[in-house]
Amino acid sequence: MYDPTVFENLKVAFENHVYDLDNLERSINILNRTDQLDLAVMSRKFSIQFSLVSHPAVSVEIALNSSLQELADEILEAKGTEPGCLLSLRVFINVQDMDTQCEQVENILQTIWENDIEYRQTLSFHYGQTEPGFLNTVEIDFKPKLTEEHMGEIGEFLQHVLEMLVRISEI
């Protein structure tokens, strides 16, 4: 009988919560979804991108990643290991005043996530674009590895993501 991996269980739990926010609560719009298996390194990645219905200009992508080592440790029941997944977010926001707005984003991240993250902001623009400003891609990596013991925290985690989106949208 098929026994789903930690990655599969977490992926389904995230999908269910996010699709409930889209279909039942109608508070978000899902923009994209990917489920990838990289055969070169036997890693898995699941991501889902959405924006708030009330603030569509800012979007977030939630990503779960699992390596071959994590999968092998789980299947082989390797002693001394705790198989899990890496969790990350990517927030996309257009900024006009990069110094002020990037600092405001940083303050919001530190307030909501405290010391559980590492993050970076990357500003970019398209050569020849006519509108002013930059795309700020905020990449957030969570330090603790996710395991099945975190399943009950996904709903609360998503509420923090929504709060972060609202606050960043108001910059």
Side-chain angles (χ1 to χ4, degrees):
M1 182 165 155
Y2 173 73
D3 186 21
T5 63
V6 171
F7 175 85
E8 288 294 331
N9 287 331
L10 288 169
K11 177 186 88 153
V12 168
F14 267 99
E15 279 180 307
N16 288 340
H17 279 85
V18 171
Y19 277 100
D20 283 351
L21 291 171
D22 180 37
N23 295 320
L24 300 178
E25 295 183 28
R26 299 195 185 280
S27 59
I28 67 167
N29 287 318
I30 294 176
L31 306 172
N32 195 14
R33 178 190 173 285
T34 62
D35 192 352
Q36 299 173 329
L37 169 62
D38 184 337
L39 294 174
V41 293
M42 296 304 293
S43 67
R44 292 285 311 268
K45 179 182 179 182
F46 166 76
S47 66
I48 191 160
Q49 183 180 3
F50 58 88
S51 64
L52 294 169
V53 169
S54 59
H55 298 88
V58 178
S59 67
V60 65
E61 176 187 76
I62 298 172
L64 282 175
N65 292 283
S66 183
S67 67
L68 173 60
Q69 186 65 54
E70 295 292 333
L71 182 60
D73 287 347
E74 181 176 1
I75 291 172
L76 299 173
E77 298 178 5
K79 296 205 184 305
T81 64
E82 187 174 7
C85 301
L86 297 178
L87 175 66
S88 62
L89 300 175
R90 287 195 318 165
V91 180
F92 304 95
I93 179 175
N94 289 310
V95 296
Q96 307 300 317
D97 180 355
M98 67 179 146
D99 292 328
T100 302
Q101 289 177 293
C102 289
E103 184 177 337
Q104 290 172 333
V105 168
E106 183 175 325
N107 291 335
I108 291 167
L109 296 178
Q110 290 173 349
T111 300
I112 292 176
W113 304 115
E114 298 175 354
N115 296 322
D116 291 337
I117 63 168
E118 293 179 3
Y119 62 90
R120 62 205 151 282
Q121 298 185 58
T122 306
L123 300 171
S124 61
F125 66 94
H126 292 282
Y127 175 75
Q129 76 182 30
T130 56
E131 62 279 348
F134 301 90
L135 173 63
N136 185 1
T137 303
V138 184
E139 297 175 84
I140 305 166
D141 297 319
F142 289 84
K143 293 178 186 176
K145 187 169 42 171
L146 273 170
T147 66
E148 288 176 321
E149 294 172 7
H150 294 102
M151 291 280 230
E153 301 170 17
I154 293 174
E156 182 180 344
F157 169 79
L158 288 173
Q159 290 308 311
H160 289 299
V161 171
L162 297 179
E163 176 189 349
M164 176 189 68
L165 284 178
V166 168
R167 292 181 62 188
I168 288 176
S169 296
E170 293 171 347
I171 292 177

